């Protein structure tokens, strides 16, 4: 933030009275602008022994594979966001089966939330943001072509839990790395 | 948002090409500004059969009781946010015992996340944002003086689950209501 979203003046970076962190503060209207983490919400849709992945038609990571997921919108719930993103990216109808992975990514100020889901039919097809949508068995997962670390983490957890016969919700934290974005 | 945070021009409300919802769009620099839900994170700290509540020293709901919770900051994880807020509001040292309630509040564009926690000692005392900090047994909880519906919901779930002998993570959604804020 360079300009105050309330009055348009240039903001300063300073620690407001009673606070302990530098914030963007407007010298004209006095408003303090906080930077809050963004929620990215998606699903891990399953059909028989296979998982639905989408190949990205947009940057970042164009051409790489991902689970359907995206930024949560105003006026919706986490579960609604997961279903909406799955429909937008893969035109897939799902039934959610519970919160599965929570991935903190502090260095990019995001929290990723992935639900396990049951595909209701195989009538999925690419939405506008996908080049391709396809079911993958564990052996077929293109691990080197997964778009984001939070997604490969969720997939690895899923196959491990499935082998164990018990799905456990996990909270994980990704630190800055170079192998995958983000 | 009235002014573009990048260039300071007044923004327009319009549906960008390829999008399906009205957004704040800058006519000067072209930036699209998205409104994303904010995460409020806190804990439900337990000592023996009692729960730690804080009486708010700040608006909204000054003078009402709440669990320690607040807006998640940039550069931290959900768990770190829960511990930080608990220390800031109640100077309390806790050990988290897992994600407990997730409360969607779409009409105010927030998601509340409450962890169960074990108080490590009884050396808690009010932080700057609290008038009072106190342990309450279930019978002592001032239900009519709880600050927010997400907090009374988390407390009710907790006591119900404790009676059942099993804590179950819940995802709940609050719709607009008048009895409590938000
Ligand atoms: Zn201003
Ligand atoms: Zn602009």
């Amino acid at each position: 933030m360079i300009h105050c979203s309330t009055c348009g003046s240039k903001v300063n970076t300073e620690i407001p009275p009673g606070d302990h962190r530098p914030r963007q503060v407007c010298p004209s209207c006095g408003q303090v602008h906080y930077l809050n983490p963004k929620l990215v919400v998606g699903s891990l849709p399953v059909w028989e022994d296979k998982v639905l992945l989408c190949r990205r038609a947009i940057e970042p990571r164009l051409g790489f594979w991902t689970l359907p997921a995206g930024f949560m919108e105003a006026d919706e719930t986490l579960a609604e966001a997961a279903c909406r993103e799955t429909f937008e990216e893969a035109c897939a109808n799902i039934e959610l089966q519970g919160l599965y992975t929570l991935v903190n990514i502090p260095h990019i100020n995001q929290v990723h939330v992935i639900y396990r889901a049951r595909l209701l039919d195989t009538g999925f097809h690419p939405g506008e943001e996908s080049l391709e949508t396809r079911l993958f068995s564990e052996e077929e997962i293109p691990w080197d072509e997964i778009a984001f670390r939070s997604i490969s983490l969720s997939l690895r957890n899923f196959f491990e839990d499935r082998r164990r016969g018990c799905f456990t919700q996990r909270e994980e934290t990704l630190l800055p790395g170079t192998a995958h974005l983000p």
Side-chain angles (χ1 to χ4, degrees), chain A:
Chain A
M1 166 170 284
I2 299 162
H3 290 267
C4 172
S5 55
T6 303
C7 77
S9 301
K10 279 207 172 180
V11 293
N12 299 325
T13 302
E14 56 189 59
I15 301 178
D19 203 339
H20 56 287
R21 292 174 65 127
R23 311 283 182 185
Q24 306 300 97
V25 181
C26 178
S28 303
C29 74
Q31 195 171 333
V32 182
H33 299 279
Y34 298 91
L35 184 62
N36 297 109
K38 291 198 171 90
L39 279 159
V40 171
V41 186
S43 77
L44 193 159
V46 175
W47 179 263
E48 294 170 355
D49 69 329
K50 294 186 166 71
V51 169
L52 179 65
L53 298 182
C54 310
R55 202 153 74 82
R56 290 173 62 80
I58 52 170
E59 295 290 358
R61 304 293 274 172
L62 193 154
F64 285 74
W65 291 91
T66 187
L67 291 169
F71 288 104
M72 186 172 175
E73 300 266 13
D75 310 329
E76 68 184 355
T77 66
L78 289 161
E80 287 165 353
C83 293
R84 178 184 52 74
E85 287 291 343
T86 304
F87 193 79
E88 283 179 11
E89 299 190 359
C91 303
N93 299 302
I94 56 170
E95 181 182 86
L96 295 185
Q97 300 189 287
L99 199 65
Y100 188 49
T101 42
L102 277 153
V103 186
N104 298 287
I105 318 180
H107 65 283
I108 57 165
N109 206 23
Q110 293 181 0
V111 177
H112 292 197
V113 177
I114 303 290
Y115 285 80
R116 284 195 305 122
R118 196 169 69 83
L119 260 181
L120 295 178
D121 56 67
T122 55
F124 56 81
H125 55 92
E128 281 187 10
E129 298 181 359
S130 302
L131 298 169
E132 203 177 336
T133 49
R134 216 197 100 179
L135 291 171
F136 290 86
S137 68
E138 181 173 4
E139 297 67 37
E140 293 168 335
I141 298 277
W143 293 108
D144 294 339
E145 295 166 46
I146 300 295
F148 306 110
R149 285 193 294 161
S150 61
I151 301 301
S152 46
L153 195 63
S154 298
L155 289 169
R156 281 184 211 285
N157 286 348
F158 173 77
F159 292 118
E160 190 182 310
D161 282 358
R162 191 170 67 178
R163 263 191 300 280
R164 284 194 307 136
C166 172
F167 293 99
T168 309
Q169 187 195 288
R170 326 269 186 110
E171 187 176 336
E172 318 245 14
T173 298
L174 290 178
L175 300 175
T178 53
H180 290 287
L181 294 167

